[in-house]
Amino acid sequence: MSDYSCPFEKKPIEKVKNDIHMINQNINKIKVDLISMRADISIIKDYINQQKNKEQEISKGWIW
């Protein structure tokens, strides 16, 4: 990410701007990943609930 090993060393302003831009891009990618993970989790939860409902329907169907 940065060519500078010492965080207290003075950097040119453009280099700092580029570093901040890269950090911001990475944060945005993480946000997108979290949103997609939440969506995937909700899809999985819906599928599990559907399977539970099917099991309940089957168990009710066999008991007359």
Side-chain angles (χ1 to χ4, degrees):
M1 183 165 83
S2 178
D3 296 336
Y4 299 93
S5 59
C6 180
F8 302 109
E9 184 178 341
K10 292 185 179 181
K11 299 180 187 179
I13 190 71
E14 288 301 317
K15 183 64 180 168
V16 173
K17 285 181 181 179
N18 289 339
D19 286 349
I20 291 173
H21 181 67
M22 288 174 52
I23 291 169
N24 197 22
Q25 283 181 333
N26 289 336
I27 290 172
N28 288 336
K29 288 178 185 178
I30 291 170
K31 286 179 183 177
V32 169
D33 289 344
L34 285 173
I35 291 169
S36 66
M37 289 166 65
R38 286 180 182 166
D40 292 344
I41 289 171
S42 68
I43 290 170
I44 292 169
K45 284 182 180 179
D46 289 343
Y47 179 76
I48 290 171
N49 288 335
Q50 287 176 356
Q51 294 303 317
K52 285 182 182 178
N53 290 339
K54 284 182 182 179
E55 288 177 12
Q56 289 175 354
E57 290 175 7
I58 291 172
S59 66
K60 288 179 184 177
W62 290 103
I63 300 173
W64 294 27

